[in-house]
């Protein structure tokens, strides 16, 4: 397979996958497992190249790449290999009484030709992860990774070309224009990971062909810290969730709502937690080899402007606040005295800024959360059941995580995804497999007992009684 550049014939690449997509419908489990094993082996052999590429793109520390990019994808692959047999099997649909004698089951079949469009923040994980699901489901794939993480995107292109024919998997390198042109094609499924704004564009384009979509989007994921919580643990976990990839994580804690009775203690512990994680030898976080960089100057400037704007409007920087432009270094920064109307509370931060707002009553915190679009994740730290139950009942989010941050991403059996503005559809494990599969309903009438036939016209009195009887069992 060759790597494709900007203005090559995208339609040609798409057409070239038609026959293969048909061939893959045969549902050869062993064939899919062999492909997954080949991918697994390539990743294991080339893990240093992956580390180098993500370092080049985002200054990601090697161990962070191991944890959040490589091991996540390897986990996704081994989980798929282990469970593919079960996933591919038809699932019996139990018969109600009037279907007695029929055979009904759900047979997952590959949707066909799929498109994966991915972002720059976890450029390996969020491109190859969905691709694993597409392979497991038996789809062909065109992949458009982000233009803002060029080293990792190029590496993925070379991985694809060494493992697959272009008829099965093609990586198209390019920008928004390329993505838009790809979206004109009648894919059977589009798996998009990115911002809610672009997600809307993707869904509009998909509507022209009625292509199904999985939209893995972003937003503002809140954290609620209850008065009765383990503050040291909460601070450490929030600081970790925010410092990984410099906060450029879709499920990073975006802002914290903390009970006012513990607000000042929490602010101190949060600052101490950042120090513990990123500055243990007191040489400054900038010198830390455990902290990455902002993707580009446009995002660095966006974050600086957000921080300056908050300060101008009365927020206080209680920790951090410094940066270094040429290195694209931006310190983890805690903002207090934050107001709901500030810009930092009204757009996804996607960086190391962390506004902290005190609340008196849990309902106040719930109202803040419900005043914004439904988040991808909602975190709550508490020793009590009551606040957790209240948040579970009164708010909606892609995930509810209690006493931890971001850890749910790695759970192989949980669906990963948002709700409305934070996403449509789910990823990971079985849920990813299903995203790329059509759950075909198969219904086979019995040649011996056919109760359905007894309901056909003419509607004699006896048949009317029978219909009424059956409707009681429906
Ligand atoms: N839910 C998740 O799993 C998840 C994971 C990571 C990031 N995100 C979200 O992604 C966003 C950050 O990533 P980003 O800046 O790369 O997102 P983005 O939406 O700007 O870009 C994502 C991809 O879409 C392409 N694209 C951009 N504009 C397009 C358009 N008009 N039409 C078609 N394609 C277009 C880009 O080239 C890129 O490949 C954040 O909002 C973050 O929360 C979500």
């Amino acid at each position: 397979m060759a790597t494709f550049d900007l203005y090559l014939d995208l339609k040609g690449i798409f057409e070239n996958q038609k026959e293969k997509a048909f061939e893959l419908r045969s549902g050869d489990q062993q064939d899919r497992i062999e492909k997954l094993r080949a991918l697994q082996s390539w990743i294991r052999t080339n893990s240093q190249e992956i580390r180098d590429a993500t370092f080049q793109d985002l200054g990601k520390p090697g161990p962070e790449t191991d944890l959040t990019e490589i091991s996540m994808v390897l986990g996704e692959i081994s989980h798929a290999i282990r469970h593919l047999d079960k996933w591919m099997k038809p699932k019996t649909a139990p018969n109600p009484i009037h279907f007695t004698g029929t055979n009904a089951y759900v047979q997952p079949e590959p949707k066909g030709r799929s498109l994966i469009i991915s972002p720059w923040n976890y450029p390996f994980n969020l491109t190859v992860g969905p691709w694993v699901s597409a392979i497991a489901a038996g789809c062909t794939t065109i992949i458009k990774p982000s233009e803002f993480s060029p080293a990792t995107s190029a590496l993925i292109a070379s991985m694809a070309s060494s493992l697959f024919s272009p008829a099965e998997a093609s990586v198209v390198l390019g920008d928004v224009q390329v993505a838009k042109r790809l979206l004109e094609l009648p894919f059977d499924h589009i798996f998009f990971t990115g911002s809610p704004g672009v997600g809307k564009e993707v869904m509009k384009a998909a509507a022209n062909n009625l292509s199904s979509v999985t939209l893995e989007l972003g937003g503002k994921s809140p954290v609620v810290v209850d008065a009765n919580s383990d503050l040291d643990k909460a601070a450490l976990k929030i600081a970790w969730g925010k410092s990984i990839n410099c906060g450029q994580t879709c499920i990073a804690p975006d802002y914290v709502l903390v009970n006012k009775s513990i607000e000042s203690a929490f602010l101190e512990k949060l600052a101490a937690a950042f120090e513990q994680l990123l500055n243990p030898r007191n040489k400054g976080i900038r010198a830390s080899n455990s902290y990455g960089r902002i993707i580009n100057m446009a995002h660095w400037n966006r974050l600086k402007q957000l921080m300056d704007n908050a300060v101008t409007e009365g927020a206080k920087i209680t920790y951090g606040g410094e940066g270094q432009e040429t290195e694209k270094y931006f310190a983890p920064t805690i903002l207090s005295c934050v107001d709901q109307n500030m810009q930092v509370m009204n757009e996804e931060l996607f960086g190391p800024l962390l506004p902290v707002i005190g609340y008196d009553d849990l309902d106040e915190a719930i109202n803040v959360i419900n005043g914004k679009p439904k988040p991808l994740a909602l975190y709550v730290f508490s020793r009590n059941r009551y606040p957790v139950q209240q948040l579970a009942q009164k708010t909606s989010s892609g995930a509810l995580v209690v006493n931890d941050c971001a850890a749910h991403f790695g759970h192989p059996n949980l669906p990963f995804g948002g709700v409305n503005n934070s996403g449509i559809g789910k990823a990971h494990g079985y849920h990813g497999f299903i995203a790329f599969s059509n759950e075909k309903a198969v219904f086979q009438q019995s040649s011996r007992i056919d109760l359905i036939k007894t309901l056909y016209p003419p509607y004699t009195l006896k048949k009317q009684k029978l219909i009424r009887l059956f409707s009681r069992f429906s």
Side-chain angles (χ1 to χ4, degrees), residues 12-269:
I13 304 169
F14 179 71
E15 288 305 329
N16 190 32
Q17 296 197 337
K18 192 172 184 176
E19 208 175 310
K20 188 71 184 175
F22 189 75
E23 190 190 301
L24 291 177
R25 294 183 57 79
S26 67
D28 184 338
Q29 186 193 130
Q30 207 43 47
D31 178 57
R32 296 184 197 177
I33 287 179
E34 273 163 29
K35 285 171 194 154
L36 291 171
R37 288 224 163 93
L39 198 58
Q40 185 180 50
S41 150
W42 190 98
I43 294 169
R44 284 188 179 139
T45 311
N46 295 278
S47 44
Q48 190 51 46
E49 281 75 2
I50 302 170
R51 279 181 216 116
D52 291 345
T54 54
F55 182 79
Q56 216 173 306
D57 289 331
L58 285 139
K60 269 196 205 208
E64 193 175 301
T65 293
D66 285 346
L67 180 69
T68 63
E69 305 263 14
I70 298 174
S71 79
M72 292 290 163
V73 174
L74 287 176
E76 192 75 37
I77 296 174
S78 26
H79 186 71
I81 291 173
R82 267 201 306 279
H83 297 280
L84 194 57
D85 181 43
K86 191 169 144 212
W87 296 350
M88 288 176 73
K89 276 205 176 107
K91 280 161 203 64
T92 305
N95 282 335
I97 192 155
H98 48 294
F99 284 109
T100 301
T102 66
N103 182 18
Y105 57 91
V106 179
Q107 176 64 66
E109 62 171 15
K111 277 188 179 167
R113 285 178 285 179
S114 71
L115 170 65
I116 294 171
I117 300 180
S118 57
W120 49 261
N121 62 330
Y122 291 88
F124 192 76
N125 182 351
L126 298 177
T127 309
V128 185
W131 188 17
V132 169
S133 300
I135 296 169
C139 290
T140 63
T141 314
I142 294 180
I143 297 167
K144 209 300 278 171
S146 177
E147 63 277 31
F148 296 119
S149 46
T152 315
S153 298
L155 187 67
I156 293 168
S158 100
M159 171 173 79
S161 63
S162 71
L163 296 176
F164 294 91
S165 76
E168 189 154 4
S170 286
V171 175
V172 175
L173 299 176
D175 61 8
V176 180
Q177 292 318 314
V178 174
K180 283 186 172 172
R181 286 179 58 174
L182 280 167
L183 286 168
E184 287 167 14
L185 298 167
F187 283 97
D188 298 299
H189 190 68
I190 298 169
F191 191 109
F192 169 80
T193 307
S195 55
V198 176
K200 288 176 192 168
E201 296 303 314
V202 170
M203 199 160 172
K204 274 187 216 156
N208 289 330
N209 297 305
L210 288 177
S211 304
S212 58
V213 291
T214 304
L215 303 176
E216 293 285 338
L217 311 176
K220 292 181 85 62
S221 294
V223 189
V224 176
V225 183
D226 179 44
N228 184 16
S229 55
D230 180 336
L231 272 196
D232 289 309
K233 193 170 166 186
L236 188 68
K237 287 191 174 278
I238 296 166
W240 178 75
K242 193 65 176 180
S243 52
I244 279 237
N245 205 23
C246 298
Q248 301 167 113
T249 305
C250 56
I251 48 171
D254 188 274
Y255 62 98
V256 180
L257 298 163
V258 58
N259 189 290
K260 274 191 185 149
S261 64
I262 49 155
E263 187 176 356
S264 58
F266 172 74
L267 284 168
E268 269 176 37
K269 285 182 189 288

